[in-house]
Amino acid sequence: PRATHAKLTVNGEYLGVFVMVEQVDKEFIQDHYTNDDGNLYKSVWPQYDEPEPYLEALKTNEELADVSDMLALDSLLASTSDDTFVGDVDGVLDLEMMASYLAVDRATSNADGIRGFYCYGFGVTECENANYYWYGEPGAETHLIPWDLDYALTEPNDDLGRSMSDNSPEACEPVSFCEYWGQTDC
């Protein structure tokens, strides 16, 4: 999705600089994909084996309410291993795009995307992330669509050189949303 900055003036009063972000919707799908009949999901990770989270995230084809594509993706991801992953998801996920996106996402320290899992409140075990879509293009791969990248480049990425296999306790400690954003009323 395209994004740009804009100076906003309403009735002659300058209100400041804002970010304009292209919406990801049916029109976006029609502009960017060959087949626009697939399901578009907002900010739901393929980790549920029941339909409710996918139905809540569904942004197209709501009247059909068929989320079997995401249920199948979840099942596939749950059954694969590190050794078989690439072969198992070949033709199902756009791995080249995902690898490119993840490299840039990590390098730009995007604090508000698929790698930013927020745990709302203390003691919460369920965390969620935001600002991405999945599009299940019929007869093709499922595509990750990053969205709303205005927090990228806001902080240096001191963690860039850390190994993904770092098992130290501080490497996997979830940070609450309010603590991350410096709020004092956590």
Side-chain angles (χ1 to χ4, degrees):
R2 294 171 288 194
T4 191
H5 292 90
K7 293 180 181 180
L8 179 63
T9 303
V10 177
N11 296 328
E13 180 184 351
Y14 175 70
L15 299 177
V17 176
F18 289 79
V19 177
M20 292 177 34
V21 179
E22 180 181 18
Q23 289 298 321
V24 178
D25 54 15
K26 184 72 167 183
E27 185 176 328
F28 176 89
I29 297 303
Q30 290 170 342
D31 290 344
H32 295 278
Y33 296 96
T34 305
N35 188 337
D36 67 347
D37 291 331
N39 287 341
L40 179 68
Y41 301 91
K42 183 171 192 306
S43 300
V44 64
W45 203 251
Q47 64 183 12
Y48 304 101
D49 58 2
E50 68 272 348
E52 287 77 20
Y54 305 120
L55 289 169
E56 289 177 26
L58 191 60
K59 300 299 175 193
T60 58
N61 304 319
E62 295 97 323
E63 65 283 349
L64 297 177
D66 177 9
V67 295
S68 58
D69 57 342
M70 282 300 269
L71 289 167
L73 180 58
D74 166 65
S75 178
L76 172 66
L77 294 175
S79 66
T80 192
S81 70
D82 289 347
D83 295 332
T84 64
F85 178 78
V86 173
D88 290 345
V89 301
D90 185 39
V92 177
L93 290 176
D94 185 351
L95 286 182
E96 184 176 332
M97 181 275 171
M98 288 186 71
S100 296
Y101 166 72
L102 288 170
V104 171
D105 188 69
R106 188 163 185 211
T108 60
S109 203
N110 181 18
D112 198 23
I114 65 169
R115 293 183 317 103
F117 282 85
Y118 303 112
C119 306
Y120 300 97
F122 293 105
V124 176
T125 57
E126 288 282 327
C127 301
E128 56 188 43
N129 52 14
N131 295 334
Y132 64 94
Y133 290 81
W134 291 105
Y135 179 59
E137 187 174 14
E141 299 166 320
T142 299
H143 305 274
L144 172 68
I145 305 169
W147 180 74
D148 194 15
L149 302 173
D150 60 319
Y151 281 110
L153 297 172
T154 57
E155 296 180 24
N157 190 343
D158 297 332
D159 190 44
L160 191 56
R162 183 177 67 83
S163 167
M164 293 304 288
S165 61
D166 182 352
N167 292 325
S168 62
E170 57 277 354
C172 297
E173 186 73 25
V175 176
S176 70
F177 181 79
C178 59
E179 184 180 339
Y180 180 85
W181 295 108
Q183 297 171 343
T184 58
D185 59 344
C186 291

